[in-house]
């Protein structure tokens, strides 16, 4: 069987890139599929996450200007060349399954691609805020949303990551398949006085709210530290550092660069905390469970509640309630027995999302649609 992932790049740190590498490697190494990752702007850089030698990587070098809107004239002018090169590669490969991993221009033409291939659209972020925007959108934006819905309805399947997302996608061709996580021998000992948060440094992740929350934590536990790992928007990172300075938390809160060894870094901490405004199915929570790290998260739409078992392997607190978040952080800091019991449960519960179990769902989907074996 031949599978193609169509995306922009795989050299930056991110959940899409990480889970794509996991799936591509499993398809290639375990199931012996012929796997290709087709990118538009890899820029001759190495993949961020390890890929099997069996996975083919093809970059068609469209190189959209990401500092400008996708719909800026300089990017729109590149669409014909994008379609021409993309079309030529796909006709040469003749895949059985084609997976669109994000919203790029190819999202709009994939369903109408003439080859006999099953087309899959993945959604890696929650549709929550988009659903709110739809209800208040002007005429032009509503037409764009209607167009997107029409295009999505023409895919063979639309893949969402958790059942709560179903209400945001008015399509009959929906399939729920969560992100997978490989088992790891790493286990956090939960003794270090450090708490970790990680992800793309952007406002949607709520790191500013987390820093404000840490004022309350530091008042009761000044010896504990918060480490925020990631890369992202320079202006937002600068603002976060200003908050740290203004709140006099320079000895307690540290912003650290993204790491290629996140599992190992997670295992060196004692609690994971998530302060996002919205999450669909964050890989970092799966990785935290995998190393036995208890999690404290806002109960934001829609992902954390589908990963964390409240009061068992972590805590879900009222969304954007800093006082409640701080209260649970302090509780786990001061209660080592509870922290370690939750860590044990976290390691066990991570097995729900083991790579073989999740990839079996992909195999079931392919089988149900008669993809070649």
């Amino acid at each position: 069987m031949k599978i193609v992932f169509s995306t922009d790049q795989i050299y930056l740190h991110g959940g899409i890139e990480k889970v794509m590498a996991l799936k591509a490697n499993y398809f290639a190494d375990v199931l012996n599929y012929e796997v290709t990752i087709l990118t538009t702007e890899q820029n001759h850089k190495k993949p961020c996450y390890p890929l099997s030698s069996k996975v083919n990587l093809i970059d068609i070098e469209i190189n959209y200007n990401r500092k400008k809107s996708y719909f800026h004239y300089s990017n729109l002018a590149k669409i014909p060349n994008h379609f021409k090169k993309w079309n030529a590669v796909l006709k040469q490969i003749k895949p059985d399954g084609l997976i669109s991993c994000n919203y790029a221009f190819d999202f709009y033409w994939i369903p109408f691609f003439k080859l006999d291939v099953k087309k899959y659209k993945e959604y890696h972020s929650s549709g929550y805020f988009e659903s709110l925007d739809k209800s208040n959108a002007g005429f032009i934006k509503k037409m764009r949303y209607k167009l997107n819905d029409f295009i999505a309805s023409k895919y063979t399947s639309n893949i969402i990551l958790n059942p709560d997302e179903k209400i945001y996608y008015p399509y009959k061709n929906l399939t729920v398949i969560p992100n997978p996580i490989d088992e790891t021998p790493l286990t956090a000992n939960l003794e270090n006085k450090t708490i970790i948060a990680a992800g793309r440094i952007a406002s949607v992740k709520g790191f500013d709210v987390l820093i404000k929350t840490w004022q309350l934590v530091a008042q009761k536990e000044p010896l504990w530290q918060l480490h925020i790992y990631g890369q992202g928007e320079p202006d937002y990172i600068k603002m976060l550092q200003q908050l740290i300075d203004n709140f006099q938390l320079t000895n307690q809160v540290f912003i650290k660069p993204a790491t290629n060894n996140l599992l190992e870094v997670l295992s060196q901490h004692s609690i994971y905390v998530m302060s996002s405004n919205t999450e669909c199915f964050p890989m970092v929570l799966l990785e935290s469970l995998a190393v036995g790290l208890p999690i404290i998260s806002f109960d934001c739409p829609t992902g954390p509640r589908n990963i964390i078992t409240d009061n068992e392997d972590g805590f879900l607190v009222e969304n954007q309630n800093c006082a409640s978040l701080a209260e649970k952080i302090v509780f786990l800091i001061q209660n080592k027995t509870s922290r370690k019991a939750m860590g044990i449960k976290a390691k066990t519960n991570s097995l729900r999302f083991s790579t073989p179990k999740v990839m079996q769902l992909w195999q079931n989907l392919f089988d149900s649609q008669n993809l070649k074996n």
Side-chain angles (χ1 to χ4, degrees):
M1 187 185 296
K2 297 180 181 179
I3 299 293
V4 171
F5 292 89
S6 183
T7 191
D8 55 352
Q9 52 72 38
I10 54 170
Y11 66 84
L12 293 174
H13 290 269
I16 294 176
E17 292 76 19
K18 184 175 290 186
V19 75
M20 189 190 311
L22 268 177
K23 290 187 294 191
N25 290 342
Y26 193 92
F27 282 147
D29 291 336
V30 179
L31 301 180
N32 294 314
Y33 294 174
E34 293 182 40
V35 180
T36 300
I37 298 177
L38 178 59
T39 59
T40 57
E41 48 209 76
Q42 188 66 13
N43 291 307
H44 305 286
K45 296 180 180 178
K46 293 182 179 179
C48 181
Y49 303 103
L51 286 177
S52 165
S53 60
K54 296 180 181 179
V55 174
N56 300 311
L57 179 57
I58 299 175
D59 183 49
I60 56 176
E61 299 184 2
I62 305 303
N63 299 327
Y64 289 107
N65 185 347
R66 288 313 182 88
K67 294 182 179 180
K68 298 184 181 296
S69 165
Y70 239 145
F71 295 95
H72 188 271
Y73 71 88
S74 63
N75 284 328
L76 292 174
K78 296 181 179 183
I79 295 177
N81 192 38
H82 181 178
F83 178 79
K84 180 181 177 181
K85 287 186 171 183
W86 185 96
N87 190 50
V89 171
L90 268 292
K91 284 186 175 181
Q92 182 178 7
I93 296 173
K94 296 181 180 178
D96 303 296
L98 173 59
I99 302 173
S100 174
C101 302
N102 50 25
Y103 275 117
F105 288 121
D106 56 18
F107 163 76
Y108 293 96
W109 65 65
I110 284 176
F112 310 104
F113 188 57
K114 292 184 179 180
L115 285 181
D116 182 18
V117 55
K118 305 297 184 182
K119 296 108 174 178
Y120 304 95
K121 175 71 185 82
E122 294 184 331
Y123 298 87
H124 290 273
S125 59
S126 176
Y128 172 75
F129 283 124
E130 185 174 290
S131 71
L132 296 180
D133 192 42
K134 281 182 179 180
S135 62
N136 298 307
F139 177 78
I140 293 177
K141 186 177 281 190
K142 280 186 177 179
M143 290 302 100
R144 193 187 77 195
Y145 282 132
K146 285 183 179 295
L147 174 62
N148 286 353
D149 288 343
F150 170 76
I151 297 295
S153 72
K154 299 302 179 182
Y155 277 80
T156 308
S157 286
N158 287 273
I159 314 300
I160 55 176
L161 294 172
N162 72 69
D164 289 347
E165 288 292 309
K166 287 182 178 180
I167 62 173
Y168 305 128
Y169 299 99
Y171 325 130
K172 295 180 180 179
N173 53 346
L174 284 179
T175 303
V176 178
I177 302 180
N179 285 333
I181 182 69
D182 281 342
E183 292 183 54
T184 175
L186 292 171
T187 302
N189 66 22
L190 310 184
E191 295 283 354
N192 295 328
K193 294 183 177 182
T194 54
I195 293 175
I196 183 171
R200 178 169 53 93
I201 308 292
S203 58
V204 70
K205 299 299 184 181
F207 292 127
D208 53 325
V209 176
L210 181 55
I211 292 169
K212 293 172 184 176
T213 299
W214 203 261
Q215 294 179 91
L216 304 175
V217 176
Q219 290 172 11
K220 295 186 177 181
E221 296 293 338
L223 297 181
W224 278 67
Q225 295 181 354
L226 170 65
H227 298 167
I228 300 173
Y229 282 81
Q231 63 185 25
E233 302 166 9
D235 289 343
Y236 184 65
I237 295 173
K238 183 178 179 180
M239 184 271 284
L240 294 181
Q241 189 59 55
Q242 288 175 341
L243 279 179
I244 293 169
D245 296 340
N246 292 342
F247 293 147
Q248 298 182 348
L249 295 172
T250 52
N251 293 323
Q252 285 97 12
V253 181
F254 301 88
I255 300 175
K256 296 175 176 284
T259 173
N260 289 330
N261 299 304
L262 186 57
L263 284 174
E264 184 176 339
V265 172
L266 286 167
S267 70
Q268 296 166 2
H269 293 75
S270 296
I271 302 168
Y272 187 90
V273 62
M274 176 165 279
S275 54
S276 299
N277 298 322
T278 178
E279 289 282 355
C280 192
F281 209 85
M283 281 296 295
V284 69
L285 293 192
L286 299 184
E287 291 166 318
S288 296
L289 292 181
V291 300
L293 202 59
I295 302 167
I296 305 171
S297 173
F298 284 140
D299 187 15
C300 64
T302 56
R305 72 188 67 146
N306 286 284
I307 298 174
I308 301 165
T309 305
D310 192 31
N311 289 303
E312 185 173 302
D313 52 30
F315 291 117
L316 289 166
V317 304
E318 182 183 7
N319 195 20
Q320 305 306 305
N321 187 325
C322 293
S324 294
L325 188 65
E327 178 185 347
K328 293 303 184 183
I329 292 172
V330 171
F331 174 82
L332 280 190
I333 286 175
Q334 295 178 348
N335 291 272
K336 184 190 295 186
T337 300
S338 296
R339 193 165 73 234
K340 295 210 167 188
M342 283 188 165
I344 292 170
K345 279 290 188 180
K347 189 87 172 174
T348 300
N349 289 349
S350 71
L351 299 178
R352 294 175 294 158
F353 309 109
S354 69
T355 301
K357 285 185 178 181
V358 171
M359 297 310 291
Q360 183 62 53
L361 298 177
W362 278 97
Q363 287 181 267
N364 294 345
L365 178 63
F366 292 161
D367 290 344
S368 71
Q369 293 165 349
N370 298 315
L371 266 72
K372 298 175 184 177
N373 292 317

